[in-house]
Amino acid sequence: MAERISRDEVAHVAWLARLQLSAAELERFTPQLGDVLDHAADVAALNLDDVAATSHPYPVTNVLRDDVVGPVLDRDEVLAQAPSSEDGQFRVPPVRGESP
Amino acid sequence: MSDRPGFGADRVWQSGSPGLGAPAGTEWEMVVGLEVHAELLTATKLFSASPNAFGGQPNTHIDPVCLGLPGTLPVLNRRAVELAIRVGLALGAEVRPSIFARKNYYYPDMPKNYQISQYDRPINTGGSLELPSGKVVGIVRAHLEEDTGKSTHVGGAGRIDDAAWSLVDYNRAGVPLLEIVSHPDLRSAAEAREYVTELRATLLAVGASDGKMEEGSLRVDANVSVRPRGSAELGTRCEVKNVNSLRSLGRALEHEARRQIDLLSSGQRVAQETRHWNEDTGRTSLLRSKEEATDYRYFPEPDLVPLVPEPALIERIRADLPLLPRQRRHRLAAAAGQSPARVALLVERGQDDLALAAVEAGATPESVLKHLEQHLADGAGALTAAGLAGLIAMEQRGELSSNQSKAVLAEMVRSGGSPSEVAQRAGFEAVAAGELAGVLERIIAEHPAEWQRLCTGDERERKKMQGFFTGQVMRATKGQANGRDVAALLEDRAGTSADSAPG
């Protein structure tokens, strides 16, 4: 049986999560992720036509708050904990391209 | 490409050179769908209580949730939900049970490394927007999501790609957005602008957004493709971002459609990609190819429970909706016996109530529309419907010349009052019919030769002399005679002369 997920796919998923995996780690995690997908496939094999899709385990809906302004954080205190700041703003490394 | 026709309203593009992809002379049409992001007019953010307010010093509208600090949990803003439903109902969408999803990507303006949005189960699906022209544009969905922070690129001449570093302000992070997605139903830049204008007017009418494109509270991304006119298939589309005004939208669409036509006409293909509109160069440039498209790995947001709007809430919001621009156009159009397109300008200016009341007060609809359209571009001021109706009645009774009428209207806009009072104050006394006849007799006596030419000349000669005598009467009455009365009098008198002329 073909592997459920390839080494390249694992490397791609790791990159999406900004995880740097060594070659040895890729070897180890690829079958592990495959096992997780095998388990999902077991569930997918069941006939669940009569079961509504579940997005949340709790029978709770409509948790809302009123639109009332609350306290804000102190900027200086926040920026003092940032790796770098300038002119009241967070200073970050340059990013290529714009926000998706 | 040699053939680049000008940008007319109903333009036809043609391929100028025979290409491998399309024969010479192919007519193209653009196909456009728009994604409009509207910031909702709430007091606080979508998931936390720091203020939703434009401007302010950087990073002064921030709280632990919108900074994505560990251990914080989002709680949904009731008002944002109500505004989203208001817009959905205004667009005729189906308001449905929905859930939130995480859209995962790394960018410093999203401190959590994911944006909370709605994905496969949005709050509003379907619906449509009717434009003033009568065209109906389909709506795919209108869903809730949080706005991102704002980054400024420093160094590298301010250009994104070679910035030395970036500064991030999170005041905008977490501000509630409604993303309204249209079907690819738009066929020209003018139509796209009309759609955004109408959508903006609708958002303003229901109080959902202030619609200020210049402040970024209304933002537009455009999906653009082209195809041979008459083709039912959709071409490969590009998404154009960074369109910050209606004018930019028009320019960006014209440019992007042209670019795609040039590619296809020369036998090349359009690649599906995201492109960045540059206002200064007037061009789009590649931002991301399809291969580089972000893999967002959407999944249900575990920190937010499903949103299931109660039918009673939906009905309460529906009952509370104001008249929408479309409904106001149809209302005035029906009252005035005109098309909705004909009265769109007055609805846009908010003068439809005035027009409607003047028509209901008995004024001729065509006169009402003409006065408002031509003379009240700067607002109706203190003018009342009764005043306008009265003015039109005076005109029709011949009590005011057209110049006098204009002056009276201007005065009523300035300081109100009734048209008869204003006319009297201005000394605009209509010249009585008897008096006018006397004036004309005197002028005929002074110009017997001209009168002869009027009575016996050919068509052209008569017209010329009618103009001469009308001018003389106007001068004698200091412009207070009514033009129509003078014309009738001249005709009457000339007929009598001809009858009594010796055979």
Side-chain angles (χ1 to χ4, degrees):
Chain A
M1 184 178 119
E3 291 295 336
R4 290 209 178 268
I5 188 164
S6 72
R7 206 185 125 111
D8 284 350
E9 284 170 321
V10 174
H12 176 65
V13 170
W15 180 82
L16 288 174
R18 300 299 185 271
L19 295 174
Q20 219 165 22
L21 299 186
S22 65
E25 284 169 327
L26 274 178
E27 284 304 323
R28 194 163 55 151
F29 292 142
T30 299
Q32 285 185 13
L33 269 178
D35 290 344
V36 173
L37 293 174
D38 277 341
H39 178 64
D42 288 344
V43 176
L46 301 174
N47 183 349
L48 300 174
D49 290 351
D50 298 334
V51 182
T54 304
S55 61
H56 298 75
Y58 310 110
V60 180
T61 57
N62 299 337
V63 176
L64 300 161
R65 67 181 170 80
D66 289 336
D67 185 28
V68 178
V69 175
V72 295
L73 289 173
D74 180 76
R75 179 172 75 179
D76 294 339
E77 195 183 332
V78 170
L79 290 178
Q81 299 171 61
S84 179
S85 69
E86 182 180 317
D87 291 341
Q89 304 200 54
F90 294 85
R91 180 172 161 158
V92 300
V95 181
R96 189 183 170 277
E98 65 173 33
S99 179
Chain B
M1 276 312 292
S2 56
D3 180 21
R4 290 172 182 255
F7 296 156
D10 186 29
R11 56 180 315 192
V12 171
W13 273 298
Q14 295 201 333
S15 294
S17 56
L20 299 174
T26 298
E27 286 186 9
W28 300 90
E29 68 174 0
M30 70 162 87
V31 176
V32 176
L34 296 180
E35 296 171 10
V36 173
H37 291 81
E39 286 185 354
L40 296 175
L41 275 179
T42 56
T44 67
K45 294 186 175 177
L46 186 52
F47 301 117
S48 58
S50 58
N52 166 16
F54 180 76
Q57 289 295 307
N59 293 307
T60 53
H61 303 156
I62 54 173
D63 61 64
V65 175
C66 73
L67 286 184
L69 298 186
T72 58
L73 288 171
V75 187
L76 186 57
N77 182 334
R78 185 187 309 279
R79 181 68 184 153
V81 171
E82 289 175 359
L83 291 177
I85 294 174
R86 279 175 83 81
V87 176
L89 294 176
L91 295 174
E94 187 189 348
V95 181
R96 309 179 59 170
S98 65
I99 62 170
F100 288 86
R102 288 189 184 179
K103 179 180 180 180
N104 299 279
Y105 65 89
Y106 279 83
Y107 200 81
D109 62 13
M110 276 311 316
K112 298 190 297 295
N113 290 332
Y114 57 84
Q115 178 190 29
I116 302 178
S117 180
Q118 294 194 302
Y119 183 53
D120 53 347
R121 286 160 67 186
I123 182 165
N124 298 302
T125 58
S128 63
L129 186 69
E130 183 182 309
L131 308 186
S133 64
K135 176 168 181 129
V136 178
V137 179
I139 302 292
V140 179
R141 56 192 278 152
H143 71 253
L144 279 164
E145 64 183 28
E146 58 179 336
D147 208 344
T148 59
K150 208 171 155 183
S151 35
T152 312
H153 308 286
V154 182
R159 285 181 34 204
I160 296 172
D161 285 351
D162 40 30
W165 65 86
S166 299
L167 299 179
V168 190
D169 168 15
Y170 289 115
N171 281 352
R172 204 181 63 184
V175 163
L177 287 179
L178 196 68
E179 178 176 337
I180 303 153
V181 182
S182 86
H183 281 286
D185 289 347
L186 301 161
R187 293 290 175 271
S188 70
E191 220 166 68
R193 284 197 305 264
E194 190 186 1
Y195 168 81
V196 173
T197 303
E198 180 66 14
L199 182 56
R200 181 177 174 277
T202 302
L203 292 169
L204 288 172
V206 302
S209 175
D210 64 16
K212 292 181 182 168
M213 289 189 85
E214 69 280 10
E215 291 184 4
S217 56
L218 196 74
R219 306 195 290 272
V220 181
D221 295 337
N223 287 298
V224 190
S225 64
V226 299
R227 64 182 176 191
R229 190 175 293 271
S231 164
E233 280 173 44
L234 292 173
T236 303
R237 70 171 193 273
C238 291
E239 182 176 5
V240 179
K241 289 180 170 280
N242 194 41
V243 178
N244 297 324
S245 68
L246 281 180
R247 185 168 170 273
S248 296
L249 175 63
R251 291 181 68 208
L253 292 178
E254 296 281 5
H255 166 79
E256 179 57 21
R258 181 79 259 169
R259 188 188 71 84
Q260 294 183 14
I261 290 166
D262 284 354
L263 282 174
L264 295 171
S265 299
S266 61
Q268 300 175 67
R269 293 175 47 191
V270 174
Q272 188 178 332
E273 57 199 23
T274 304
R275 301 183 65 85
H276 179 94
W277 167 249
N278 186 318
E279 184 66 36
D280 297 329
T281 62
R283 305 174 68 86
T284 61
S285 56
L286 177 65
L287 199 61
R288 269 192 304 279
S289 68
K290 192 185 181 188
E291 289 69 34
E292 295 170 307
T294 314
D295 184 347
Y296 293 126
R297 294 153 293 142
Y298 282 96
F299 63 85
E301 165 59 82
D303 292 341
L304 289 164
V305 299
L307 177 61
V308 185
E310 303 282 343
L313 172 70
I314 296 173
E315 289 320 307
R316 180 171 67 70
I317 294 173
R318 195 193 303 277
D320 188 42
L321 282 181
L323 273 186
L324 303 169
R326 162 181 56 83
Q327 295 167 318
R328 289 166 56 182
R329 286 195 298 272
H330 281 276
R331 182 181 61 154
L332 179 56
Q338 301 284 345
S339 72
R342 170 71 170 77
V343 302
L345 177 66
L346 296 187
V347 171
E348 196 181 305
R349 285 193 202 153
Q351 293 173 341
D352 51 317
D353 279 336
L354 179 63
L356 202 63
V359 169
E360 278 164 3
T364 316
E366 190 53 42
S367 303
V368 171
L369 298 183
K370 230 161 66 186
H371 273 302
L372 291 177
E373 285 165 358
Q374 293 176 2
H375 306 307
L376 297 180
D378 299 326
L383 179 67
T384 63
L388 179 59
L391 181 79
I392 290 168
M394 285 179 74
E395 283 174 351
Q396 286 168 343
R397 287 196 301 267
E399 293 168 16
L400 289 173
S401 70
S402 89
N403 278 340
Q404 290 172 339
S405 169
K406 235 185 274 179
V408 170
L409 183 63
E411 180 55 25
M412 287 197 295
V413 167
R414 250 193 312 277
S415 44
S418 82
S420 53
E421 282 168 12
V422 172
Q424 207 166 21
R425 256 202 326 268
F428 296 156
E429 300 274 346
V431 180
E435 199 181 322
L436 202 58
V439 170
L440 180 60
E441 288 310 323
R442 201 183 70 229
I443 293 168
I444 291 173
E446 287 165 8
H447 303 279
E450 284 82 357
W451 184 248
Q452 191 61 31
R453 283 161 67 192
L454 186 142
C455 293
T456 58
D458 60 14
E459 177 80 16
R460 203 168 139 263
E461 188 79 352
R462 266 210 320 277
K463 279 258 149 62
K464 208 169 132 189
M465 288 302 113
Q466 274 166 5
F468 170 79
F469 280 97
T470 305
Q472 291 293 322
V473 172
M474 284 300 178
R475 185 191 297 182
T477 58
K478 299 191 174 64
Q480 298 203 13
N482 181 291
R484 239 176 331 171
D485 290 350
V486 177
L489 194 63
L490 272 175
E491 199 172 316
D492 200 41
R493 180 67 171 72
T496 314
S497 294
D499 290 346
S500 59

